[in-house]
Amino acid sequence: MKEPPNPGDVIDRIPAPSPRAPRELPSWLSAKGLMIPVAVVIVGILVLKFMAGLYSTVPKGKYQIKQTWIIGTVDAKMTPGFWFTFGEVSEWPKAETFYFTADPKEGKSEDQSIEVRYNDGSLTRASGTCRVVMPKTREQAIALVTERGYKDFNDLEVKLILPVVRNALRATANLMSARESYSEKRLDYIQWSWDQVVHGLYETEETLKQTKDPITGEVVTKRVKVIKKDKDGHPVRQQNPLRNTGVTLDNFEIKQFVYDKVVRDQISSQQQAYMSVETARANAAKAEQDALTMEAQGKAKVMEAKYQEEMDKVRAVVKAQKDKEVAEIAAQRQLQVAKLERQAAEQKKQSEILLAEGESKARELKMKADNYEAIKIDAWKEAQFRWADAFSKRKVPQIIFGSAGGGAGDQDSTSLGTKNLLDVMILNSLGINMGLGQPKPAK
């Protein structure tokens, strides 16, 4: 069996490589050759930068400020459009929203809320937004850069807007407790903060104030800070940093107060105790009010009864007066009716008299016209009727005593003779001529 070859022997048999000659670099990669391309690139960059700095376009909603190369003058273009710059240009928004929120969806992703401390030592974070309106004039826009030294909008936001809003929020918090900001003075907090943002911080002073503890009801004296007022009652203020900058703020909003858990628990306990006290007071007030209501209702019923009695009296008086007036009106009407009836009767009487007089006159004239013949005839007829009636009722004796040859016939003849004589006399007295001539005198 053959032994394996010795590794050393194998290595000795491999021929050693021959040394290679060093490889030469291209001429353009040499130190001298690199200088030219590098110089070309640098010059190209400078040319491009120079060309880019010759002009610019201002977009809408923005304005630009330039600093001219070499001479360093500063100018601004406030309206959209093209312009020659020949210098370094910075772009500014005409309006932008300033965020101091704890909501990561607004502004930056991190918490931007502002921490404030109330006069009871409680800490909380105020979260909100406001609108920043930049200068509208060229001079004010340039002054922000040249006189006030703001490099860009972010620099202005950090060095001017944030301090103004933060100081206003902290100064307002120092005027109340955490519970007050949570409940009864919440709107005051927003209003006072905005007032200080726009017009400047309040000057404050310490004073002793007596307050009634809402839970125990005890009156306690506390040292608190209040707004200093001038002789006219207006707040005394510090100078507003926004003054004469052309920068204004509007649409100020505090969205929420982010209280620490300890503060939230404390406020909750205070609110619960306060509500219990208020409930007890409300119940007591309600009981007192119920008693007053019942008393008032009793008085009202008494007054209603008295009023009803008075109304009954008034109604009775009114009714009696009305009945009296009605009776007087009825009597007056009856009097007027009677008067009218009397007048009508009088008129009827006069009419009947006149009618009778007319008829009488007519009869008289008629009788005169025929010499009263009709009346005479009527009288003659009446006399004849009366004689006939009397003659028919005469008493004739049953037994006649007389001379011979005498009898009832003789008596009738005598009666008729007497009648004839009477007729003639009547006719003569009536003036009626029957054609009988004058009666012969008796022999």
Side-chain angles (χ1 to χ4, degrees):
M1 185 175 180
K2 293 183 178 181
E3 296 182 356
N6 188 0
D9 295 340
V10 175
I11 293 173
D12 289 340
R13 294 193 196 104
I14 298 174
S18 61
R20 297 181 62 180
R23 186 176 181 182
E24 296 183 358
L25 294 173
S27 60
W28 61 273
L29 289 178
S30 63
K32 292 182 179 181
L34 288 175
M35 292 178 61
I36 296 175
V38 170
V40 170
V41 171
I42 293 173
V43 170
I45 293 173
L46 292 175
V47 170
L48 291 175
K49 185 176 181 181
F50 176 77
M51 294 295 294
L54 288 178
Y55 65 91
S56 180
T57 300
V58 180
K60 59 182 179 180
K62 307 283 185 178
Y63 70 88
Q64 291 181 354
I65 296 178
K66 74 170 181 178
Q67 184 174 13
T68 307
W69 289 329
I70 303 175
I71 59 177
T73 57
V74 179
D75 196 4
K77 180 172 174 55
M78 308 301 293
T79 57
F82 174 86
W83 70 315
F84 289 100
T85 55
F86 194 68
E88 184 178 355
V89 177
S90 61
E91 192 169 82
W92 298 70
K94 288 189 174 181
E96 189 59 83
T97 300
F98 171 69
Y99 296 95
F100 55 100
T101 66
D103 188 352
K105 296 179 181 179
E106 294 183 319
K108 300 178 181 179
S109 58
E110 65 269 16
D111 187 355
Q112 303 169 80
S113 59
I114 298 174
E115 184 180 73
V116 297
R117 185 184 296 274
Y118 298 100
N119 59 15
D120 59 0
S122 302
L123 288 174
T124 188
R125 302 188 72 84
S127 176
T129 61
C130 69
R131 192 70 174 168
V132 182
V133 181
M134 297 299 289
K136 294 181 174 58
T137 65
R138 173 177 167 275
E139 292 76 15
Q140 289 178 333
I142 294 174
L144 284 179
V145 176
T146 59
E147 298 178 13
R148 302 182 183 275
Y150 299 117
K151 298 177 182 179
D152 51 29
F153 179 77
N154 290 333
D155 190 40
L156 179 138
E157 191 177 43
V158 173
K159 295 179 180 179
L160 178 63
I161 308 302
L162 176 59
V164 167
V165 175
R166 181 169 54 204
N167 289 334
L169 294 175
R170 289 178 175 177
T172 304
N174 203 23
L175 298 173
M176 63 185 68
S177 65
R179 190 193 64 80
E180 289 175 332
S181 72
Y182 181 83
S183 55
E184 65 265 26
K185 289 189 176 181
R186 190 178 188 90
L187 293 179
D188 291 336
Y189 188 101
I190 298 173
Q191 181 180 353
W192 293 350
S193 298
W194 174 236
D195 185 42
Q196 294 183 89
V197 166
V198 175
H199 301 106
L201 299 179
Y202 299 141
E203 292 282 353
T204 59
E205 57 185 356
E206 287 189 350
T207 184
L208 296 176
K209 183 178 180 181
Q210 289 186 340
T211 58
K212 187 175 182 180
D213 191 287
I215 300 175
T216 62
E218 297 180 357
V219 177
V220 296
T221 301
K222 292 183 179 180
R223 185 177 296 274
V224 295
K225 285 190 175 184
V226 295
I227 302 171
K228 186 185 294 186
K229 302 291 183 66
D230 60 15
K231 61 181 181 179
D232 297 326
H234 301 137
V236 179
R237 302 176 184 275
Q238 301 177 12
Q239 184 173 347
N240 189 358
L242 297 176
R243 184 180 180 185
N244 298 328
T245 62
V247 178
T248 58
L249 304 181
D250 62 13
N251 200 24
F252 180 80
E253 177 188 18
I254 298 179
K255 296 185 175 182
Q256 62 176 336
F257 294 97
V258 184
Y259 298 95
D260 292 338
K261 185 177 184 305
V262 176
V263 179
R264 289 199 305 271
D265 294 342
Q266 180 183 3
I267 292 174
S268 178
S269 300
Q270 290 176 350
Q271 287 294 111
Q272 187 65 35
Y274 180 77
M275 291 179 64
S276 299
V277 171
E278 288 299 314
T279 301
R281 289 177 181 173
N283 292 334
K286 183 177 182 302
E288 183 178 356
Q289 185 61 41
D290 290 343
L292 293 175
T293 302
M294 293 180 64
E295 182 180 0
Q297 289 177 349
K299 291 180 179 180
K301 290 181 178 179
V302 172
M303 293 302 296
E304 183 179 0
K306 291 182 178 179
Y307 175 78
Q308 189 63 40
E309 291 178 358
E310 292 296 328
M311 288 301 298
D312 292 341
K313 292 180 182 179
V314 172
R315 290 191 187 97
V317 172
V318 172
K319 186 176 184 302
Q321 184 67 25
K322 183 179 178 181
D323 293 342
K324 178 182 177 182
E325 292 177 356
V326 171
E328 290 177 351
I329 293 173
Q332 188 175 5
R333 286 183 177 177
Q334 291 177 359
L335 181 61
Q336 291 177 352
V337 170
K339 185 177 180 180
L340 292 174
E341 288 179 350
R342 284 197 302 271
Q343 292 177 354
E346 187 68 23
Q347 292 291 334
K348 183 177 180 181
K349 175 182 176 182
Q350 294 296 329
S351 177
E352 289 178 351
I353 290 174
L354 292 175
L355 182 61
E357 289 179 351
E359 291 177 352
S360 175
K361 189 67 176 178
R363 285 195 302 270
E364 182 181 358
L365 293 175
K366 184 177 180 181
M367 287 187 294
K368 284 183 178 181
D370 61 359
N371 195 22
Y372 300 99
E373 292 296 331
I375 295 176
K376 294 176 181 180
I377 293 173
D378 290 337
W380 166 253
K381 289 180 178 179
E382 182 66 21
Q384 293 298 318
F385 289 150
R386 289 183 178 272
W387 182 88
D389 183 64
F391 186 77
S392 64
K393 295 179 180 179
R394 75 182 187 284
K395 294 182 179 181
V396 180
Q398 297 293 327
I399 299 175
I400 300 175
F401 297 95
S403 59
D410 295 334
Q411 291 181 355
D412 290 338
S413 299
T414 303
S415 299
L416 291 173
T418 302
K419 175 181 179 302
N420 291 332
L421 181 60
L422 289 173
D423 289 341
V424 171
M425 293 174 66
I426 291 171
L427 292 173
N428 288 332
S429 65
L430 294 175
I432 301 174
N433 186 8
M434 300 297 291
L436 300 178
Q438 295 292 331
K440 295 178 178 182
K443 292 182 179 181

